[in-house]
């Protein structure tokens, strides 16, 4: 039954792969575990952030992980991956994924029921992978459900400018 759910999520990601600007006006936040401690997004220093939701049994999720790791090592943006699985499932992922999940990339785990978290980050369908680009104030600039690549990341990050305050 579980594999049917994963298959449906993967098929949904092919059908619903879209780029859409977020309508969220409020800063986004979460309080998730990295297995050693809880990490609150709002407690981290302000900077543009790529948030990626994934699973080890999702082929497009696994394929995009090296690009996310490279982006994290460049140090211009924060990259946060949120595994929608048990920590033991993440630990059993292939060696290449384990390497990609190393710092400076911040690897976290979702709550046992991630639908609310996914919906808050613009993914009401629950399809994977799902990537959201946040500005330094944690407001969503854009999102994509489906596999991403270097070209999409570059374009999405360049379009994510800090919000300008309008003069009164």
């Amino acid at each position: 039954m579980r594999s049917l759910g994963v298959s449906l999520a993967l098929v949904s990601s092919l059908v619903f792969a879209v780029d859409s600007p977020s309508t969220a006006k409020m800063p986004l936040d979460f309080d998730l575990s990295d297995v050693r401690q809880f990490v609150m997004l709002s407690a981290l220093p302000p900077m543009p952030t790529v948030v990626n939701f994934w699973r080890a049994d999702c082929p497009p999720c696994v394929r995009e992980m090296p690009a996310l790791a490279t982006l994290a090592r460049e140090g211009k943006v924060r990259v946060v991956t949120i595994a929608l699985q048990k920590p033991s499932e993440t630990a059993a992922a292939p060696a290449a994924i384990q390497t990609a999940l190393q710092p400076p990339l911040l690897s976290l785990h979702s709550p046992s029921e991630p639908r609310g978290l996914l919906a808050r980050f613009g993914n009401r369908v629950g399809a994977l992978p799902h990537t959201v680009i946040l500005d330094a104030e944690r407001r969503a600039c854009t999102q994509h459900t489906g596999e991403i690549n270097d070209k999409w990341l570059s374009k999405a990050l360049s379009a994510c400018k800090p919000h300008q305050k309008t003069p009164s």
Side-chain angles (χ1 to χ4, degrees):
M1 187 67 162
R2 179 172 167 220
S3 64
L4 175 62
V6 171
S7 296
L8 289 174
L10 292 174
V11 169
S12 295
S13 72
L14 296 174
V15 174
F16 295 105
V18 295
D19 290 327
S20 61
S22 173
T23 57
K25 303 285 186 227
M26 298 299 296
L28 293 167
D29 205 1
F30 56 67
D31 190 6
L32 299 172
S33 173
D34 69 358
V35 181
R36 295 178 306 276
Q37 63 185 357
F38 278 86
V39 175
M40 182 175 274
L41 182 60
S42 60
L44 299 173
M47 71 182 306
T49 302
V50 175
V51 179
N52 177 265
F53 296 88
W54 73 286
R55 285 186 56 88
D57 57 358
C58 162
C61 300
V62 171
R63 284 192 301 267
E64 65 188 22
M65 201 60 67
L68 293 167
T70 299
L71 184 64
R73 284 191 301 273
E74 290 172 359
K76 296 176 185 169
V77 299
R78 174 184 301 113
V79 177
V80 178
T81 62
I82 301 175
L84 303 182
Q85 59 198 8
K86 296 176 184 173
S88 60
E89 293 172 292
T90 301
I97 300 307
Q98 295 301 324
T99 300
L101 292 174
Q102 298 304 308
L105 186 140
L106 182 56
S107 178
L108 304 174
H109 286 87
S110 74
S112 59
E113 179 45 61
R115 284 184 287 202
L117 179 65
L118 282 167
R120 196 165 60 238
F121 279 77
N123 185 347
R124 298 199 187 322
V125 177
L128 296 176
H130 183 70
T131 305
V132 181
I133 308 291
L134 305 177
D135 66 15
E137 291 84 33
R138 303 182 333 273
R139 290 181 178 89
C141 296
T142 192
Q143 62 185 347
H144 181 79
T145 301
E147 189 170 351
I148 59 168
N149 57 35
D150 293 331
K151 183 178 177 182
W152 183 87
L153 283 167
S154 178
K155 182 179 174 186
L157 288 166
S158 66
C160 187
K161 303 292 182 205
H163 290 279
Q164 302 294 323
K165 294 189 179 193
T166 55
S168 304

